[in-house]
Amino acid sequence: MNALTRLQTELGDIVSTDPIDLAASRTDKSGWVADGTPLAIVRATAVQQVQAVLRIATEFRVPVVTRGAGTGLSGGACGTDGSIVLSVAGLNRILEINADDELAVVEAGVINQQLNDVLAEQNLWFAPDPASKAISTVGGNIATNAGGLLCAKYGVTREAVLGLTVVLADGSLLRTGHRTIKGVTGYDLTALLTGSEGTLGVIVDATVRVRARTAGTVATIGAVFETVTAAAAASAAITAARIRPAVMELIDPIALAQIATYLGPDCSAGLPLRRGAFLLVQTDGPAALAEAEQALIVLRAAGGEATLSTDAASGDRLLAIRRAMHPALEQLGQVLIEDVSVPRSRMAEMFAAIAEISARTGIPIPTVAHAGDGNLHPNFVIARRPGESVDTPVPDEIWAAADEMFRTAIALGGTLTGEHGVGVLKRRWLRDEIGDRSLDLQRQVKAVFDPLGILNPGTMFEG
């Protein structure tokens, strides 16, 4: 009996070998398409099914690629040749909401927005806010330690995770963490597993910290600057003034022009979106209006044409400009969404470097940034000619430009990835950032959790 027969015998209809299913599992939102054809896709709806898959994979030494909603941006959840693609999207129950202790227990496949919709009924919310929150899963966000628009004030995903239930490579169950705010017993395996990209175990549920909904008003500022470096310097000035917005997003002129075309004139929110760079600032809480008025002074002093609104509908229109970034670019072709972070004080230098690389190579690099935390997303749009296969690789000249960007970010004291993860797309640069000793230790940690090397092989580490 082989692995596929065992899967079908033990798990029945949740195992699919349909060519359409297998092909769909080979890619994610990054546009990366894995080589070859997976052995099968298993759509688990119970923890016991996940355990059975891992036991069978261990017995037959078959690689397992764990997958949620497929919204990843680093190629780390794409079904590789001969692998079992283990979908946990069907583990989608909210198991508990404890308002008194401000925590929730959710399965890995719960959609972020769905969780917040349920929490809102009890005047609670889950702070991690990836731009893909309407379609991405809590488990996927934990696996990549995802960020989003609210990180500067409310933290990244790791800071909202109290504990995990994880299926290990041999099918055994591991529970980590606590239901308490404090807890320092032993090594912090919860933090280790958060951001491990499916290479150490399969997250099946999580105990997460939730918050009381922020009281007070919400104030939103939209500002346009002549150059992106001026806008970046203005955002750094807001940080230096000790103002802590909930959201601070920056869009460069290349991206802004495309967004303006995509949204049309009715969505400009009264700002000249067809010229310059756009900076969005949103404050919340009891002091929101005072903070926004202080930020408005800083932005205008830096040369920005800015408007302030406390009207929810106007704020939503300004936020819609930012959220339209990637849909707008997708109108032009396949989008390779990159992800680097630098210290906030050096963000203007990083934008200037990207503009120089773009001008010198002739490759447009529309860029958006979570300006509140220094996380930039340079984008490359790969136009597809009629009839061209989606398997067409990213052109070498784009990777060469990306290589320059990555090295510049590291030289500025930054990192290769602020929130998307290493995945497949950035593993070749991992050693450049963390060094030989750290890389060797990380490989050893993986070997402890996954001695046969069957969990997401090829993700994060080359070879």
Side-chain angles (χ1 to χ4, degrees), residues 352-364:
I354 292 170
E356 190 279 326
I357 292 167
S358 176
R360 176 165 39 81
T361 62
I363 300 171

Side-chain angles (χ1 to χ4, degrees), residues 344-381:
R344 289 171 291 186
S345 61
R346 310 202 71 176
M347 198 162 47
E349 293 174 75
M350 189 68 213
F351 268 107
I354 292 170
E356 190 279 326
I357 292 167
S358 176
R360 176 165 39 81
T361 62
I363 300 171
I365 311 177
T367 302
V368 64
H370 305 308
D373 54 38
N375 184 193
L376 294 85
H377 295 307
N379 295 262
F380 297 93
V381 180

Side-chain angles (χ1 to χ4, degrees), residues 84-439:
I84 300 168
V85 178
L86 174 56
S87 171
V88 294
L91 294 168
N92 55 14
R93 297 178 300 160
I94 298 174
L95 302 174
E96 178 188 353
I97 295 175
N98 187 318
D100 292 337
D101 290 331
E102 294 189 338
L103 63 82
V105 182
V106 300
E107 290 187 322
V110 170
I111 300 294
N112 284 276
Q113 186 62 60
Q114 292 173 348
L115 174 59
N116 267 318
D117 289 345
V118 174
L119 289 171
E121 298 171 5
Q122 298 192 41
N123 204 34
L124 299 168
W125 67 300
F126 181 54
D129 179 29
S132 60
K133 67 179 181 179
I135 56 174
S136 61
T137 63
V138 174
N141 291 162
I142 294 171
T144 57
N145 191 25
L149 277 63
L150 299 173
C151 294
K153 185 169 184 178
Y154 293 106
V156 296
T157 298
R158 176 179 286 116
E159 294 163 73
V161 181
L162 295 171
L164 298 170
T165 303
V166 179
V167 179
L168 299 177
D170 62 1
S172 62
L173 212 58
L174 170 69
R175 290 185 172 86
T176 74
H178 312 269
R179 291 171 63 93
T180 55
I181 299 301
K182 293 180 179 178
V184 293
T185 310
Y187 294 125
D188 190 351
L189 296 183
T190 303
L192 175 63
L193 288 157
T194 301
S196 61
E197 302 187 42
T199 62
L200 303 180
V202 178
I203 297 167
V204 290
D205 73 47
T207 301
V208 297
R209 186 195 308 261
V210 299
R211 297 171 177 264
R213 291 182 69 86
T214 306
T217 189
V218 173
T220 308
I221 300 170
V224 173
F225 290 80
E226 288 190 6
T227 66
V228 70
T229 51
S235 70
I238 286 177
T239 301
R242 302 298 182 261
I243 305 168
R244 185 61 62 87
V247 175
M248 188 156 61
E249 298 289 302
L250 201 166
I251 304 173
D252 82 345
I254 300 174
L256 189 61
Q258 183 59 32
I259 292 169
T261 300
Y262 175 74
L263 291 179
D266 295 337
C267 297
S268 67
L271 292 166
L273 297 186
R274 292 190 178 276
R275 63 171 178 79
F278 176 73
L279 184 64
L280 171 75
V281 178
Q282 189 171 78
T283 58
D284 64 0
L289 183 56
E291 290 177 339
E293 289 173 341
Q294 186 183 357
L296 193 64
I297 293 171
V298 173
L299 295 174
R300 287 174 174 167
E305 181 178 339
T307 62
L308 167 63
S309 175
T310 57
D311 174 67
S314 297
D316 287 344
R317 284 195 295 273
L318 288 167
L319 272 170
I321 296 170
R322 165 61 181 89
R323 294 193 188 278
M325 166 74 172
H326 291 112
L329 295 182
E330 286 175 340
Q331 303 301 303
L332 303 177
Q334 177 65 50
V335 183
L336 176 64
I337 307 170
E338 278 306 337
D339 166 39
V340 296
S341 284
V342 296
R344 289 171 291 186
S345 61
R346 310 202 71 176
M347 198 162 47
E349 293 174 75
M350 189 68 213
F351 268 107
I354 292 170
E356 190 279 326
I357 292 167
S358 176
R360 176 165 39 81
T361 62
I363 300 171
I365 311 177
T367 302
V368 64
H370 305 308
D373 54 38
N375 184 193
L376 294 85
H377 295 307
N379 295 262
F380 297 93
V381 180
I382 305 163
R384 301 291 187 194
R385 292 184 293 272
E388 190 170 18
S389 169
V390 295
D391 291 63
T392 303
V394 175
D396 290 342
E397 59 268 24
I398 286 181
W399 281 127
D403 176 81
E404 286 193 62
M405 286 193 318
F406 299 154
R407 297 184 189 282
T408 299
I410 293 171
L412 291 174
T415 178
L416 292 167
T417 174
E419 59 185 7
H420 294 170
V422 174
V424 173
L425 297 182
K426 290 191 172 177
R427 61 190 181 187
R428 73 177 89 166
W429 292 279
L430 182 61
R431 186 185 298 272
D432 294 336
E433 178 174 334
I434 67 174
D436 291 341
R437 185 61 178 141
S438 179
L439 183 61

Side-chain angles (χ1 to χ4, degrees), residues 25-34 65-67 70-80 144 197 336-337 420-427 456-460:
S25 75
R26 293 173 54 217
T27 190
D28 64 8
K29 289 290 284 184
S30 71
W32 171 264
V33 181
V65 176
T66 307
R67 187 175 176 88
T71 60
L73 292 166
S74 64
C78 299
T80 52
T144 57
E197 302 187 42
L336 176 64
I337 307 170
H420 294 170
V422 174
V424 173
L425 297 182
K426 290 191 172 177
R427 61 190 181 187
N456 248 8
T459 291
M460 199 177 299

